[in-house]
């Protein structure tokens, strides 16, 4: 029954209308405002209860906004389209529906610009008189007023929503670009995408390097089925979006996708993630409702996706750089060569572990000029050439430090490939050990060839010398010799003896008798130490013997006695009064396994590098009465025992000979 236009409203109804208008204009939450208005209506009409509903998109249900008194139905806050109720019909037809009988009441559509935006329902006692025409007209006015109110609120919400969305986008943009942890970033993107579009779920796919497949990298909401982890380009929603580079909105995929995990999701919105016009991935959101997304969602998600794509690219770039850096550190950190990077001002920018050790470049050295650590003029000159682009590579040998700690370095200087500023990379190789090894190998080869020569000569001399000796004896037995002549013959005889001793020594070195090896303790080869100590005493040289460790070896005691005695005599000869000679034995672990190491050291005059290099050569001597065979013989004896001799010496400081012989014992590792 439509309200009759022009009918006069009774005074009570007028005053109810005014009070209603005042109530809905009062302060408070929306629900409070509506409830105040409804209470006025109930008071004026003696109603049992009243409800205001909003007609919700997609216009298939009524949602309760406020209720006063007792209202049947809609206990869960909604009236569905399928509920056979007057309220629904009023919403759908746009006309007021009055019910009589057991549940009398009126369902009044709330109109805004001719559109139904909600429904007011008001119940009356069963005994009440039917609505008068004026009353219905008043309800119509109230409906219009409420309709406007609802519409105002909707617009308010929309505006606020848009403002909030823009703020959220800005905040997200900031957050995303400051997150360089890619996994965290992707999780953040899907979660925000879902919230931004009020979706039930969101998925993020990234395109692989060959742009063939999309891999699912993150999701929000319910976990997607495993068969959707990888999508080929061109297939499904994400595949289509990636291949077209365009957004896609799909409503109601229907029931054809049963089992694909999509049956509960009826709306989908997917946008490409674009970086410089190139698709790098796809962001999809889905909703359970049939038309969960409209063009405004599409626009919003598009803007968001652009920001997300930028942030993802930045994080990926960062990740790549970090991976490259880690790889570089692993490669350079692992090489035994020292690597140092310098800037254009020759300051240390980076160095690996080996460089930190070799040049003593601690963390505090970063930023220091390299010349503080490596100052050889030749090197600085080469570095200057590389930095000034006069040279693209310099390679030179430089020595570092002095004395026993001196190291030989091979330094390669490269320009550092850099866009803006030139720098240099140094690769340093420590040649010291190799030089020592080379020296040892050379020495052995030299001694071997000299030995052969010496043995040949010794034999050649020995035979005629024997002849000379025999002739001398024959001469001595003659009777016609004067006393002078006899003493001359004695002189010749002594010289022949000396020559023979020399030849014996020479042959000892060149063709040594095979060693008669047996298990023995090192001390056995040092039995002469008491006599030696006496000789030291005569020269005012102190002698120390340290046999606390006395390793067991397999050796020829006679030969080893000679070896150590030769070293000890040299030490004593080199040391003046007040000096010291020390002999010690110990068990050490070397690169050749467990060894007995006998150290013979003195505080004597020492040797320069050149003398030390020749000291083992047979016949090399710096002494007027020396034979130059002592060390040569010591060397060949050590070799016969599978051992090695090393020498460290500094002029004016002293000399240390180290003899390592394989031990039958093992120490603690
Ligand atoms: P010789 O003792 O007959 O000279 P060696 O072979 O024993 O021959 O020694 C060779 C040279 O090595 C010596 O002349 C000396 O110059 C040097 N030398 C050996 N041992 C020492 C030492 N302990 N201190 C200084 N120089 C040494
Ligand atoms: Mg000697």
């Amino acid at each position: 029954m439509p309200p009759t236009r022009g009918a006069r409203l009774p005074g009570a109804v007028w005053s109810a209308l005014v009070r209603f208008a005042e109530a809905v204009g009062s302060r408070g939450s929306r629900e409070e405002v509506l409830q105040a208005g409804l209470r006025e209506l109930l008071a004026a009409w003696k109603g049992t209860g009243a409800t205001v509903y909003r007609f919700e998109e997609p216009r298939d249900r009524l949602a309760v906004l406020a209720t006063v008194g007792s209202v049947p139905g809609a206990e869960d806050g909604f009236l569905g389209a399928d509920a056979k109720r007057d309220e629904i019909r009023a919403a759908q037809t746009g006309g007021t529906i009055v019910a009589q009988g057991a549940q009398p009441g009126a369902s009044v559509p709330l109109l805004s610009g001719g559109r139904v935006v909600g429904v007011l329902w008001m119940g009356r006692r069963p005994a009440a008189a039917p609505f008068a025409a004026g009353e219905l007209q008043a309800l119509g006015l109230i409906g219009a007023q409420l309709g406007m109110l609802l519409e105002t609120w909707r617009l308010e919400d929309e505006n606020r929503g848009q403002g909030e969305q823009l703020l959220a986008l800005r905040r997200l943009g900031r957050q995303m670009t400051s997150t360089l942890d890619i996994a965290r970033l992707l999780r953040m993107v899907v979660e925000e995408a879902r919230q931004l579009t009020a979706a039930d779920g969101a998925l993020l796919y990234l395109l692989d390097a060959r742009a063939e497949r999309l891999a699912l990298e993150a999701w929000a909401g319910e976990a997607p089925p495993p068969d959707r982890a990888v999508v080929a380009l061109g297939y499904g929603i994400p595949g289509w979006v990636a291949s077209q580079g365009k957004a896609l909105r799909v409503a109601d995929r229907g029931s054809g996708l049963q089992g694909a995990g999509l049956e509960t999701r009826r709306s989908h919105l997917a946008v490409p993630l674009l970086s410089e016009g190139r698709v790098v991935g796809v962001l999809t959101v889905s909703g359970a409702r049939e038309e969960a997304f409209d063009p405004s969602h599409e626009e919003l998600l598009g803007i968001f996706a652009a920001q997300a794509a930028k942030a993802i690219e930045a994080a990926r770039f960062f990740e790549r750089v970090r991976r490259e850096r880690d790889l570089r550190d692993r490669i350079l950190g692992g090489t035994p060569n020292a690597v140092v990077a310098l800037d254009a001002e020759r300051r240390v920018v980076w160095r690996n572990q080996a460089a930190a050790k070799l040049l003593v470049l601690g963390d505090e050295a970063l930023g220091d000029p390299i010349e503080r650590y490596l100052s050889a003029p030749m090197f600085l000159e080469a570095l200057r050439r590389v930095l000034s682009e006069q040279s693209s590579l310099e390679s030179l040998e430089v020595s570092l430090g002095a004395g026993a700690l001196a190291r030989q370095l091979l330094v390669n200087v490269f320009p550092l490939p850099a866009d803006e500023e030139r720098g240099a990379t140094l690769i340093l190789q420590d040649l010291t050990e190799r030089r020592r090894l080379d020296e040892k190998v050379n020495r052995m080869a030299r001694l071997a060839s000299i030995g052969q020569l010496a043995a040949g000569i010794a034999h050649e001399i020995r035979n005629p010398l024997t002849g000379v000796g025999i002739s001398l004896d024959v001469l001595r037995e003659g009777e016609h010799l004067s006393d002078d002549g006899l003493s001359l013959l004695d002189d010749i005889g002594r010289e022949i003896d000396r020559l023979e001793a020399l030849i014996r020594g020479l042959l000892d070195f060149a063709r040594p008798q095979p060693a008669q090896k047996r298990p023995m303790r090192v001390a056995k080869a040092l039995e002469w130490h008491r006599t030696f100590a006496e000789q030291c005493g005569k020269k005012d040289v102190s002698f120390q013997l340290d046999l606390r460790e006395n390793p067991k070896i397999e050796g020829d005691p006679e030969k080893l006695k000679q070896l150590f005695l030769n070293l000890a005599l040299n030490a004593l000869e080199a040391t003046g009064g007040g000096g010291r000679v020390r002999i010690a034995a110990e068990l050490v672990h070397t690169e050749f396994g467990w060894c007995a190491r006998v150290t013979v050291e003195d505080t004597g005059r020492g040797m320069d590098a050149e003398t030390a290099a020749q000291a083992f050569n047979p016949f090399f001597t710096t002494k007027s009465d020396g034979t130059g065979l002592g060390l040569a013989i010591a060397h060949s004896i050590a070799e016969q025992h599978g051992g090695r001799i090393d020498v460290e010496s500094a002029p004016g400081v002293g000399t240390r000979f180290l003899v390592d012989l394989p031990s039958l014992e093992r120490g603690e590792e």
Side-chain angles (χ1 to χ4, degrees):
M1 196 188 295
T4 316
R5 254 173 215 292
R8 278 177 50 87
L9 293 178
V13 174
W14 262 119
S15 57
L17 271 180
V18 171
R19 281 207 301 279
F20 173 79
E22 274 171 9
V24 297
S26 67
R27 286 172 159 274
S29 73
R30 291 176 184 180
E31 195 181 359
E32 283 164 4
V33 165
L34 288 178
Q35 279 173 343
L38 292 181
R39 270 195 296 272
E40 293 299 334
L41 294 186
L42 291 189
W45 269 280
K46 304 198 173 36
T48 52
T51 298
V52 180
Y53 298 94
R54 186 174 59 213
F55 197 25
E56 289 208 323
E57 295 296 338
R59 305 181 79 72
D60 61 351
R61 63 178 190 172
L62 291 171
V64 176
L65 291 183
T67 292
V68 170
S70 78
V71 176
E75 279 80 13
D76 49 0
F78 292 104
L79 282 180
D82 44 354
K84 303 231 173 313
R85 302 269 298 227
D86 287 352
E87 294 95 317
I88 290 288
R89 272 197 288 134
Q92 286 170 343
T93 60
T96 298
I97 295 169
V98 177
Q100 302 293 349
Q103 274 282 319
S107 298
V108 184
L110 312 181
L111 298 164
S112 166
R115 260 169 65 91
V116 179
V117 295
V119 171
L120 165 68
W121 183 85
M122 193 168 70
R124 307 184 82 186
R125 279 190 300 276
F131 284 106
E135 287 173 325
L136 287 176
Q137 195 182 359
L139 284 177
L141 287 172
I142 285 168
Q145 200 176 354
L146 278 176
M148 252 158 60
L149 195 62
L150 259 53
E151 185 62 6
T152 309
W153 286 345
R154 191 184 68 78
L155 287 172
E156 248 177 55
D157 286 349
E158 210 175 81
N159 279 334
R160 184 178 316 134
Q162 275 179 2
E164 274 169 2
Q165 278 173 346
L166 285 177
L167 277 177
L169 273 179
R170 279 239 299 278
R171 189 193 63 219
L172 272 177
R174 266 206 308 279
Q175 262 177 24
M176 284 192 303
T177 41
S178 62
T179 305
L180 290 173
D181 170 356
I182 186 117
R184 227 188 94 206
L185 173 68
L186 298 181
R187 277 198 306 277
M188 193 158 119
V189 168
V190 284
E191 193 45 57
E192 296 291 349
R194 185 171 75 116
Q195 284 181 18
L196 218 52
T197 55
D200 296 307
L203 306 177
L204 190 148
Y205 293 88
L206 290 180
L207 198 58
D208 67 0
R210 287 148 84 197
E212 284 172 357
R213 294 184 313 169
L214 290 164
L216 181 65
E217 300 288 347
W219 70 84
E222 176 191 325
D227 62 325
R228 299 224 287 152
V230 176
V231 178
L233 209 65
Y235 289 87
I237 296 175
W240 187 91
V241 170
S243 64
Q244 300 296 311
K246 279 192 278 203
L248 181 64
R249 199 150 45 85
V250 180
D252 195 2
R253 298 277 314 256
S255 50
L257 287 158
Q258 295 282 334
L262 288 172
E263 55 273 24
T264 56
R265 299 284 165 81
R266 310 182 70 183
S267 313
H268 298 267
L269 171 59
V271 294
L273 293 165
L274 297 165
S275 168
E276 283 160 11
R278 212 166 34 83
V279 174
V280 296
V282 175
L283 180 61
T284 74
V285 291
S286 56
R289 284 200 293 120
E290 215 167 287
E291 279 180 55
F293 310 114
D294 60 26
S296 74
H297 289 115
E298 189 176 319
E299 192 186 357
L300 191 65
L301 199 63
I303 298 172
F304 175 71
Q307 286 186 343
K310 244 183 257 162
I312 290 169
E313 281 299 276
R316 277 174 144 186
F317 176 73
F318 178 75
E319 177 118 326
R320 210 164 47 233
V321 169
R322 204 183 52 198
R323 236 186 266 139
E324 276 166 15
R325 192 199 57 197
D326 287 353
L327 181 68
R328 181 198 69 186
D329 284 359
R330 272 209 307 280
I331 293 172
L332 295 180
T335 104
N337 289 341
V339 183
V340 182
L342 304 177
D343 67 10
E345 312 304 326
R346 302 197 302 257
R347 285 183 298 239
V348 177
V349 179
W350 184 89
R351 86 278 182 255
N352 68 355
Q353 256 336 90
K357 225 171 107 191
L358 183 66
L359 298 179
V360 200
L361 282 171
D363 283 341
E364 69 288 346
L366 295 179
D368 282 354
I370 186 68
E371 48 262 46
R372 261 190 228 170
Y373 304 90
L374 197 59
S375 58
M378 267 186 8
F379 158 70
L380 295 177
E381 197 42 38
L383 181 59
R384 193 193 55 74
R385 280 196 297 272
V386 167
L387 285 174
S388 63
E389 299 182 43
Q390 286 169 337
S391 170
S392 59
L393 165 68
E394 296 272 348
S395 203
L396 64 157
E397 271 190 40
V398 163
S399 48
L400 186 71
L405 291 174
R407 309 212 74 94
Q408 277 302 113
L409 304 181
L410 177 67
V411 184
N412 289 294
V413 189
F414 305 91
L416 188 71
D419 299 335
E420 322 97 60
E421 220 191 349
R422 207 169 165 91
T425 308
L426 311 180
I427 299 182
L428 300 98
Q429 231 175 318
D430 189 348
L431 300 178
T432 319
E433 284 311 309
R434 209 170 66 200
R435 282 286 147 79
R436 242 185 225 160
L437 219 70
D438 284 356
E439 169 54 30
K440 227 182 276 179
V441 169
N442 282 344
R443 188 208 298 155
M444 279 158 64
R446 208 166 55 225
L447 292 188
S449 64
I450 294 175
Q452 270 175 358
L453 184 71
I457 293 173
H459 275 293
E460 290 307 309
I461 296 176
R462 194 179 229 180
N463 293 339
L465 206 59
T466 315
V468 173
I470 292 168
S471 304
L472 203 66
D473 287 344
V474 174
L475 266 182
R476 256 203 212 102
E477 276 155 24
E479 323 239 300
H480 50 278
L481 280 177
S482 67
D483 283 353
D484 279 355
L486 270 176
S487 93
L488 274 176
L489 285 187
D490 284 346
D491 285 350
I492 295 173
R494 268 194 300 278
E495 293 303 314
I496 289 175
D497 285 347
R498 221 164 78 86
L499 275 174
E500 271 184 339
L502 184 68
I503 286 165
R504 261 201 310 281
L506 194 55
L507 286 172
D508 242 4
F509 147 71
R511 296 261 169 85
Q513 294 293 307
Q516 312 277 314
K517 282 189 255 182
R518 55 188 170 82
M520 58 175 277
R521 296 254 171 210
V522 167
K524 176 91 182 143
L526 299 169
E527 271 173 349
W528 41 261
H529 68 85
R530 252 180 269 279
T531 327
F532 181 72
E534 277 167 29
Q535 286 183 31
C536 287
K538 280 184 203 152
K539 221 181 145 184
D540 189 25
V541 168
S542 77
F543 173 60
Q544 291 175 5
L545 179 68
D546 183 351
L547 286 176
R548 272 172 298 182
E549 284 184 44
N550 185 13
K552 203 182 223 173
I553 56 169
E554 181 111 41
D556 180 331
E558 291 311 314
K559 282 183 177 287
L560 292 178
K561 265 180 213 171
Q562 196 188 348
L563 190 174
F564 297 129
L565 190 58
N566 285 359
L567 299 183
L569 288 174
N570 280 349
L572 183 55
E573 278 163 7
T575 310
R580 178 172 59 85
V581 171
R582 178 173 174 270
I583 299 178
E586 61 190 321
L587 184 64
V588 294
H589 190 258
T590 72
E591 52 192 314
F592 302 104
W594 285 99
C595 282
R597 169 171 294 173
V598 178
T599 305
V600 180
E601 60 186 2
D602 62 65
T603 58
R605 65 170 177 275
M607 290 177 268
D608 58 23
E610 207 180 320
T611 310
Q614 300 182 73
F616 290 95
N617 285 355
F619 310 118
F620 174 82
T621 180
T622 55
K623 303 165 192 169
S624 55
D625 60 344
T627 60
L629 284 174
L631 288 181
I633 289 169
H635 192 274
S636 81
I637 293 172
E639 245 179 15
Q640 277 189 305
H641 285 80
R644 291 164 306 146
I645 301 190
D646 256 325
V647 60
E648 296 166 4
S649 188
V653 178
T655 303
R656 173 186 296 146
F657 281 93
L658 300 170
V659 182
D660 285 349
L661 303 170
S663 171
L664 296 174
E665 288 174 68
R666 299 172 64 81
E668 287 163 28
E669 266 171 269

